[in-house]
PDB file of all heavy atoms in Angstrom:
ATOM      1  N   LEU A  63     -17.014  -1.599  -9.553  1.00 96.00           N
ATOM      2  CA  LEU A  63     -16.486  -2.897 -10.143  1.00 96.00           C
ATOM      3  C   LEU A  63     -17.732  -3.724 -10.592  1.00 96.00           C
ATOM      4  O   LEU A  63     -17.576  -4.412 -11.649  1.00 96.00           O
ATOM      5  CB  LEU A  63     -15.719  -3.682  -9.037  1.00 96.00           C
ATOM      6  CG  LEU A  63     -14.365  -3.045  -8.727  1.00 96.00           C
ATOM      7  CD1 LEU A  63     -13.734  -3.821  -7.537  1.00 96.00           C
ATOM      8  CD2 LEU A  63     -13.380  -3.073  -9.932  1.00 96.00           C
ATOM      9  N   VAL A  64     -18.827  -3.824  -9.809  1.00 96.00           N
ATOM     10  CA  VAL A  64     -19.947  -4.552 -10.310  1.00 96.00           C
ATOM     11  C   VAL A  64     -20.489  -3.944 -11.604  1.00 96.00           C
ATOM     12  O   VAL A  64     -20.859  -4.743 -12.570  1.00 96.00           O
ATOM     13  CB  VAL A  64     -21.025  -4.716  -9.185  1.00 96.00           C
ATOM     14  CG1 VAL A  64     -22.407  -5.222  -9.733  1.00 96.00           C
ATOM     15  CG2 VAL A  64     -20.536  -5.426  -8.050  1.00 96.00           C
ATOM     16  N   ILE A  65     -20.547  -2.640 -11.690  1.00 96.00           N
ATOM     17  CA  ILE A  65     -21.097  -1.984 -12.932  1.00 96.00           C
ATOM     18  C   ILE A  65     -20.132  -2.303 -14.106  1.00 96.00           C
ATOM     19  O   ILE A  65     -20.594  -2.570 -15.215  1.00 96.00           O
ATOM     20  CB  ILE A  65     -21.235  -0.447 -12.711  1.00 96.00           C
ATOM     21  CG1 ILE A  65     -22.411  -0.238 -11.726  1.00 96.00           C
ATOM     22  CG2 ILE A  65     -21.502   0.285 -14.003  1.00 96.00           C
ATOM     23  CD1 ILE A  65     -22.460   1.183 -11.154  1.00 96.00           C
ATOM     24  N   LEU A  66     -18.843  -2.266 -13.817  1.00 98.00           N
ATOM     25  CA  LEU A  66     -17.885  -2.496 -15.006  1.00 98.00           C
ATOM     26  C   LEU A  66     -18.000  -4.003 -15.410  1.00 98.00           C
ATOM     27  O   LEU A  66     -17.928  -4.277 -16.514  1.00 98.00           O
ATOM     28  CB  LEU A  66     -16.429  -2.146 -14.446  1.00 98.00           C
ATOM     29  CG  LEU A  66     -16.105  -0.761 -14.361  1.00 98.00           C
ATOM     30  CD1 LEU A  66     -14.703  -0.579 -13.761  1.00 98.00           C
ATOM     31  CD2 LEU A  66     -16.321   0.000 -15.720  1.00 98.00           C
ATOM     32  N   ALA A  67     -18.157  -4.877 -14.437  1.00 97.00           N
ATOM     33  CA  ALA A  67     -18.352  -6.269 -14.907  1.00 97.00           C
ATOM     34  C   ALA A  67     -19.638  -6.480 -15.643  1.00 97.00           C
ATOM     35  O   ALA A  67     -19.653  -7.160 -16.654  1.00 97.00           O
ATOM     36  CB  ALA A  67     -18.410  -7.134 -13.549  1.00 97.00           C
ATOM     37  N   ASN A  68     -20.742  -5.798 -15.264  1.00 97.00           N
ATOM     38  CA  ASN A  68     -22.006  -5.793 -16.024  1.00 97.00           C
ATOM     39  C   ASN A  68     -21.721  -5.278 -17.444  1.00 97.00           C
ATOM     40  O   ASN A  68     -22.291  -5.786 -18.464  1.00 97.00           O
ATOM     41  CB  ASN A  68     -23.081  -4.986 -15.396  1.00 97.00           C
ATOM     42  CG  ASN A  68     -23.614  -5.828 -14.104  1.00 97.00           C
ATOM     43  OD1 ASN A  68     -23.310  -6.960 -13.867  1.00 97.00           O
ATOM     44  ND2 ASN A  68     -24.359  -5.086 -13.202  1.00 97.00           N
ATOM     45  N   THR A  69     -21.066  -4.236 -17.508  1.00 97.00           N
ATOM     46  CA  THR A  69     -20.748  -3.556 -18.797  1.00 97.00           C
ATOM     47  C   THR A  69     -19.939  -4.501 -19.704  1.00 97.00           C
ATOM     48  O   THR A  69     -20.213  -4.609 -20.894  1.00 97.00           O
ATOM     49  CB  THR A  69     -19.987  -2.356 -18.605  1.00 97.00           C
ATOM     50  OG1 THR A  69     -20.779  -1.340 -17.837  1.00 97.00           O
ATOM     51  CG2 THR A  69     -19.737  -1.575 -20.012  1.00 97.00           C
ATOM     52  N   ALA A  70     -18.940  -5.273 -19.137  1.00 96.00           N
ATOM     53  CA  ALA A  70     -18.166  -6.199 -19.943  1.00 96.00           C
ATOM     54  C   ALA A  70     -19.027  -7.372 -20.435  1.00 96.00           C
ATOM     55  O   ALA A  70     -18.928  -7.771 -21.517  1.00 96.00           O
ATOM     56  CB  ALA A  70     -17.026  -6.685 -19.126  1.00 96.00           C
ATOM     57  N   VAL A  71     -19.968  -7.852 -19.566  1.00 93.00           N
ATOM     58  CA  VAL A  71     -20.781  -8.971 -20.051  1.00 93.00           C
ATOM     59  C   VAL A  71     -21.702  -8.444 -21.124  1.00 93.00           C
ATOM     60  O   VAL A  71     -21.928  -9.123 -22.141  1.00 93.00           O
ATOM     61  CB  VAL A  71     -21.682  -9.495 -18.886  1.00 93.00           C
ATOM     62  CG1 VAL A  71     -22.753 -10.498 -19.347  1.00 93.00           C
ATOM     63  CG2 VAL A  71     -20.662 -10.179 -17.887  1.00 93.00           C
TER      64      VAL A  71
END
Side-chain angles (χ1 to χ4, degrees):
L63 289 175
V64 171
I65 291 170
L66 289 175
N68 288 346
T69 302
V71 170

